[in-house]
Amino acid sequence: MKRIAKSVAAALAVTTFGLVGAAAQAQDYPGNRPVSAVVPFAAGGPTDKVARELAQVMSKHLGATIVIENLGGAGGTIGAKKVAQAKNDGYTILIHHIGMSTAPALYRNLGFDPLKDFEYIGEIADVPMVLVGNKNLPPNTFKDLLPYIKANASKMSMANAGIGSASHLCGLLFMSAIQTELTTVPYKGTAPALTDILGGQVNLMCDQTTNIAGQLKAGSLKPYAAMQSRRVEAFKDIPTAAEQGLPNIEVKIWHAMYAPKGTPKPVVDKLSAALQKAVTDPGFRSKMAELGAEAVPAQRATSDSLKTFLAGEINKWTPVIRKAGVYAD
């Protein structure tokens, strides 16, 4: 009995020491160390733009420099996997987009579970999607575009930035909504896709306003519809698809922040608190608006909100992707 008592006491001592150590670590966090925020896409892309604007503002509220680390490839899954396997001390975090909810259906050998391998810090911003066409397309309105697509489906092409990209997902949902298959043309990124639609090599593309804001303002693309329930704040002259006869279609590219599973709750809470202050910062909100994006309200920049939202998004996208029969691996 004495041996058992000693073993129990020793185990309790180790546990207590671990809890005290974790509490002390959390209290000192972030200290003088920078925090690495992994963006699983190339520099200059839409998620990178959001992340860099956020890092500047959030660093002030966290009391530590947030350094962006771009680690692109495989639709954002390489960077996400790295963070899932990183040390859970709060110094490596992930800034990802809607791909966290679509990866489970797109990749048969994903290597991580978005619902089990992360702690949730909170949502950051929503980026609207707009369906655009090249300037040579005859239809000038969305109402005219739909019958034109039906009559010329075999000749119509739709660009995207690659399988699993935001533009690919939006295109899938659009084709599902109009019950018409178009020829999809995947590119290695948004830049070449945009080049070809501007040059008239492809007909349509559905993409984030953070990518095409400049072209929309310059009038070098035909905007057909905002793919959400209300008009985009920065482009109020573009009617929604619902306004023009295609209800129940909404695609927004949301961005959120995660930490490796097991990151101490006080550390996650500090990160979440700094994020909530950042998304309500007038400067950050103004920067997002310039890109046609919207910073989320503070109540969405929380752990519980993101956890619930992510689960719902996985349930939303899984049947759409499986019906399309596309895989990224």
Side-chain angles (χ1 to χ4, degrees):
M1 291 295 290
K2 286 183 179 180
R3 285 184 179 178
I4 294 174
K6 285 182 179 180
S7 297
V8 171
L12 286 172
V14 170
T15 302
T16 303
F17 178 78
L19 291 173
V20 171
Q25 175 194 19
Q27 188 175 1
D28 294 338
Y29 177 85
N32 296 319
R33 289 180 58 184
V35 174
S36 175
V38 174
V39 173
F41 303 102
T47 302
D48 181 65
K49 290 176 184 175
V50 170
R52 289 183 187 276
E53 294 293 348
L54 177 71
Q56 288 186 34
V57 180
M58 188 172 162
S59 291
K60 295 184 293 184
H61 297 296
L62 184 63
T65 302
I66 298 175
V67 180
I68 301 299
E69 178 188 350
N70 295 98
L71 185 60
T77 60
I78 292 175
K81 186 176 180 180
K82 177 183 177 179
V83 176
Q85 297 173 346
K87 190 175 181 181
N88 52 7
D89 56 5
Y91 292 101
T92 303
I93 58 177
L94 173 69
I95 297 177
H96 206 334
H97 69 13
I98 191 174
M100 280 289 273
S101 64
T102 58
L106 282 169
Y107 293 84
R108 289 163 289 192
N109 300 295
L110 187 56
F112 65 90
D113 187 332
L115 293 176
K116 295 179 180 179
D117 294 335
F118 296 90
E119 303 294 344
Y120 308 97
I121 298 170
E123 295 173 67
I124 301 167
D126 293 330
V127 181
M129 303 290 284
V130 176
L131 179 68
V132 296
N134 71 56
K135 296 286 287 185
N136 299 323
L137 269 182
N140 291 315
T141 68
F142 188 73
K143 285 184 178 179
D144 293 336
L145 177 66
L146 294 183
Y148 182 84
I149 287 175
K150 296 282 186 180
N152 298 276
S154 62
K155 303 174 185 176
M156 295 290 290
S157 56
M158 191 158 198
N160 65 60
I163 293 176
S165 65
S167 50
H168 177 230
L169 298 169
C170 184
L172 284 179
L173 200 60
F174 172 65
M175 289 186 288
S176 176
I178 65 173
Q179 298 182 343
T180 305
E181 289 294 320
L182 308 180
T183 300
T184 56
V185 185
Y187 290 82
K188 291 182 178 179
T190 300
L194 192 54
T195 296
D196 273 10
I197 194 169
L198 289 168
Q201 281 77 32
V202 285
N203 303 126
L204 298 168
M205 182 166 71
C206 181
D207 210 3
Q208 302 175 66
T209 53
T210 43
N211 276 336
I212 56 176
Q215 288 75 19
L216 290 174
K217 290 173 183 175
S220 50
L221 290 170
K222 277 189 178 181
Y224 285 114
M227 309 299 273
Q228 59 179 34
S229 58
R230 58 187 177 84
R231 294 197 181 196
V232 179
E233 192 65 29
F235 299 99
K236 286 189 173 180
D237 57 327
I238 303 176
T240 67
E243 286 179 67
Q244 302 180 90
L246 191 65
N248 304 320
I249 181 168
E250 180 154 4
V251 188
K252 63 180 178 182
I253 304 306
W254 49 272
H255 298 76
M257 183 178 286
Y258 310 80
K261 188 70 176 178
T263 300
K265 187 177 185 301
V267 171
V268 173
D269 289 345
K270 280 189 177 182
L271 286 163
S272 188
L275 175 60
Q276 289 165 45
K277 290 177 181 177
V279 298
T280 55
D281 182 278
F284 178 69
R285 298 190 73 83
S286 176
K287 284 290 186 182
M288 290 299 97
E290 287 177 20
L291 295 170
E294 272 187 48
V296 301
Q299 60 266 30
R300 282 178 56 192
T302 63
S303 301
D304 289 343
S305 176
L306 175 55
K307 184 177 182 180
T308 301
F309 181 70
L310 177 61
E313 285 288 283
I314 289 173
N315 289 335
K316 168 186 171 179
W317 283 104
T318 296
V320 174
I321 293 168
R322 287 182 177 165
K323 181 181 177 182
V326 294
Y327 295 99
D329 57 5

